[in-house]
Amino acid sequence: MGRVKIAPSMLAADFANLERDIKLVNNSDADWFHIDVMDGVFVPNISFGMPVLKSMAKYTQKPLDVHLMIVDPDRYIQTFADLGADILTVHAEACTHLHRTVQTIKAAGMKAGVALNPHTSISVLEDIITEIDLVCIMSVNPGFGGQKFIENTYEKVRRLRALSTANKATIHIEIDGGVTSVNAAELVQAGADVLVAGSFVFSSENPTVTIQDLHRLANA
Ligand code: DX5
Ligand code: ZN
């Protein structure tokens, strides 16, 4: 496994100062931008959509890791490819034909991610694990930043890493929700290699240093 990646979630950025916060991430040692798109249907909240992402992409200088928390994401796969998404993650719970959705994402030139809500078993990925590039394990119920980390995540990540190894798959395992300096190292030990962090980064006194700290803990 290579160096663990840190992906600040722009949901926790200051939306009135997005350019400033994007540049902060550009100049930090963060690896990816994590972009949370919510539709108010799949999750009980609305974040931002394509016009905002289009403006953001003018400034971002690192890969865009786009996390769609929307129903029927197939409708927008090409749109997100055109906007510059590098990784497009859909929720297994939102896709009736997940295999087809994954193929469509890859055909559009992006890496394909699948997110699982806390209650969703990793077993839904058993027959598709070699087809996907990233699994996003939700360690909170999606919809809001700043929620409490669900402890069962460690065990779920261990089982997912074992499933991946058993199938000779090469997935990234990303953790999303409630990631802090308290759980970063243990998540990596369990098998995670991408940590998303929103409020822990942007509510801190010095987000640049916080990103550095997370990297240090994750790669120790
Ligand atoms: C939650 C989003 C997360 C969120 C994480 O629905 O998918 O990416 O921004 O925020 P924190 O790190 O504050 O839990
Ligand atoms: Zn997210």
Side-chain angles (χ1 to χ4, degrees):
M1 212 160 64
R3 182 175 185 255
V4 175
K5 296 185 193 315
I6 305 297
S9 167
M10 301 311 285
L11 185 65
D14 180 349
F15 288 172
N17 285 291
L18 269 180
E19 182 182 349
R20 181 198 67 193
D21 286 351
I22 289 167
K23 286 181 173 165
L24 184 152
V25 174
N26 282 340
N27 295 326
S28 76
D29 66 355
D31 298 276
W32 295 346
F33 284 91
H34 185 81
I35 307 286
D36 289 303
V37 177
M38 305 178 184
D39 66 355
V41 180
F42 181 70
V43 288
N45 194 15
I46 299 175
S47 55
F48 51 78
M50 294 79 160
V52 174
L53 181 53
K54 189 173 179 187
S55 297
M56 292 172 76
K58 285 187 203 146
Y59 300 102
T60 54
Q61 294 170 351
K62 296 184 180 189
L64 298 179
D65 170 36
V66 179
H67 176 194
L68 297 183
M69 285 159 274
I70 66 175
V71 295
D72 198 6
D74 300 62
R75 293 170 293 165
Y76 300 113
I77 291 173
Q78 190 56 50
T79 308
F80 282 101
D82 295 342
L83 284 168
D86 295 279
I87 303 143
L88 193 64
T89 296
V90 296
H91 267 264
E93 303 85 1
C95 297
T96 309
H97 301 288
L98 182 60
H99 184 276
R100 177 183 292 144
T101 305
V102 164
Q103 301 306 326
T104 310
I105 293 171
K106 293 199 291 188
M110 297 175 288
K111 298 225 182 283
V114 177
L116 300 181
N117 280 338
H119 77 278
T120 303
S121 166
I122 60 159
S123 63
V124 301
L125 300 177
E126 261 172 29
D127 291 287
I128 198 178
I129 190 93
T130 56
E131 305 285 325
I132 55 192
D133 300 298
L134 177 147
V135 177
C136 174
I137 297 291
M138 291 307 303
S139 37
V140 298
N141 285 289
F144 304 93
Q147 300 182 83
K148 192 176 175 292
F149 178 82
I150 296 171
E151 297 286 325
N152 180 55
T153 306
Y154 301 118
E155 172 55 21
K156 195 169 179 178
V157 171
R158 274 191 283 274
R159 281 187 277 119
L160 176 59
R161 188 49 83 190
L163 178 70
S164 171
T165 306
N167 286 276
K168 298 190 173 59
T170 52
I171 53 165
H172 286 297
I173 299 182
E174 175 178 71
I175 311 301
D176 191 4
V179 171
T180 68
S181 56
V182 170
N183 50 32
E186 195 170 344
L187 285 167
V188 172
Q189 265 166 29
D193 68 330
V194 184
L195 302 179
V196 174
S199 39
F200 185 69
V201 167
F202 286 103
S203 305
S204 70
E205 212 163 288
N206 187 333
T208 307
V209 172
T210 304
I211 292 166
Q212 232 166 40
D213 287 347
L214 281 175
H215 247 142
R216 192 171 33 77
L217 289 164
N219 290 288

